[in-house]
Amino acid sequence: MTFLVSQDLSFRIPVELSYDSSDPYAVEITFHLPGDAPVSWAFARELLLDGLSRPTGEGDVRIAPASPEGLSDVFIRLQVGCERALFRAGAAPLVAFLDRTDRVVPFGQEPAACDPVGDLDAELDRILAEDRYAG
């Protein structure tokens, strides 16, 4: 990703994108800024998906395509109070990342992925069915 410090100053920084199916709605970006400890931001996976094609987000995280024509670079703006940071990323690696997350937990299936009660109900039904047949 490119960190856009000002109109005249920018530099590339390594970032790490991560996804954990135990929190299926969120993605995390960790920025490795020179001379500083890594900084991580977690936000909605759907926000990243929507930001590829249209401006989206409110508050701390805003994502928008850099160009209105097709998939291009994407601007990611992060804000804490009055401090802001603007990054530019290629859409292709973000699409590839989102595709991998979709294989882990398909978009729209997040509730099932984080519903331990549903799994518990199925397990209790199985145990009760075994008890009925055993006794």
Side-chain angles (χ1 to χ4, degrees):
M1 252 183 220
T2 302
F3 180 28
L4 305 169
V5 180
S6 70
Q7 198 138 355
D8 300 324
L9 178 62
S10 65
F11 55 93
R12 298 208 31 93
I13 59 167
V15 299
E16 199 176 315
L17 295 164
S18 58
Y19 180 72
D20 184 346
S21 61
S22 67
D23 187 4
Y25 291 100
V27 295
E28 185 173 276
I29 297 180
T30 301
F31 301 92
H32 298 276
L33 299 168
D36 285 331
V39 176
S40 295
W41 281 74
F43 53 89
R45 177 171 68 150
E46 193 169 318
L47 180 71
L48 184 58
L49 177 66
D50 291 346
L52 293 170
S53 59
R54 63 180 172 82
T56 189
E58 296 178 13
D60 296 351
V61 180
R62 295 180 186 210
I63 303 173
S67 169
E69 299 93 34
L71 282 179
S72 66
D73 286 354
V74 175
F75 289 118
I76 300 174
R77 189 185 78 172
L78 307 174
Q79 182 172 341
V80 175
C82 58
E83 298 291 321
R84 294 181 184 168
L86 183 61
F87 301 90
R88 187 175 185 138
L94 297 176
V95 168
F97 169 73
L98 288 169
D99 182 58
R100 289 191 303 276
T101 70
D102 188 58
R103 283 188 243 141
V104 175
V105 176
F107 281 96
Q109 299 300 312
E110 295 90 351
C114 63
D115 182 13
V117 174
D119 293 343
L120 180 61
D121 286 343
E123 186 62 19
L124 287 173
D125 287 345
R126 185 189 64 76
I127 291 168
L128 291 173
E130 285 177 3
D131 284 346
R132 276 185 241 140
Y133 293 119

